[in-house]
Amino acid sequence: RILQRLLRLGSHPASRRFAEDTEGTLMLLTLYLFLIMVFMGGLAIDLMRYEGQRVQVQNTLDRCTLMAANLRQRLDPTSVVHDCIGNANLDNALTSINVTQGFNDRSVEAVAQTEMDALFPSAVGLDSFNLVARSTAVHKLTKIEISLALDISGSMWGARLDALKQSAKDFVSA
């Protein structure tokens, strides 16, 4: 029945004029293009906000790991990173800190993760952006001067001198 009514309407002169009228057909295309441009512009704004916040978190994390990895730093590296991140109001973003201490080096790795709310793309189901930053800083002392003093007086002859020579070779090897 519905199909029959539509066919009867199509034969009506007014509906025929409406179907043949091409005036204003570009308006619909223009409206679609405008909506796409607004959406893409909103997405671009959100991406710029995301990148700005990511750079801020990354720079803060880099600064904190560099301070903590410095071998002249006498405070605990983990507490240095926590304090530095806290001063930047990013306490909730810090997820892990890994400190590796060697004889003449220190390595500090930190990871931060947070979410940023999306303004525009939430219309298509994208409510937030996941922001992750990772930083590793290593401080090494490469030119270390070491002195080895050896006693070669008369009391060191025999087995003592042989043990001294072997110990000196082991020291140089190490």
Side-chain angles (χ1 to χ4, degrees), residues 147-168:
S147 298
L148 177 63
L150 303 174
D151 180 10
I152 56 169
S153 64
S155 65
M156 293 299 290
W157 291 107
R160 288 182 175 177
L161 186 59
D162 293 335
L164 175 71
K165 288 178 183 178
Q166 186 58 45
S167 295

Side-chain angles (χ1 to χ4, degrees), residues 84 135 146 149 153:
C84 180
S135 178
I146 299 175
S153 64

Side-chain angles (χ1 to χ4, degrees), residues 7 12 21 41 53 67 71 77 80-81 102 115 124 128-129 142 151:
L7 289 173
H12 193 274
D21 189 13
Q53 190 169 350
M67 283 192 291
L71 289 173
V80 170
V81 173
E115 287 197 6
V124 293
S128 64
F129 294 103
T142 54
D151 180 10

Side-chain angles (χ1 to χ4, degrees), residues 35-53:
L35 290 175
I36 290 172
M37 288 183 346
V38 167
F39 176 76
M40 295 303 283
L43 182 63
I45 289 171
D46 270 346
L47 289 176
M48 291 304 294
R49 286 180 54 241
Y50 167 81
E51 186 61 19
Q53 190 169 350

Side-chain angles (χ1 to χ4, degrees), residues 69-72 74 101-106 138-146:
N70 190 340
L71 289 173
R72 293 183 182 160
R74 298 291 178 216
Q101 181 74 45
F103 174 71
N104 64 338
D105 66 329
R106 181 185 295 160
V138 178
H139 189 204
K140 289 185 178 185
L141 298 176
T142 54
K143 295 182 179 181
I144 300 175
E145 294 183 21
I146 299 175

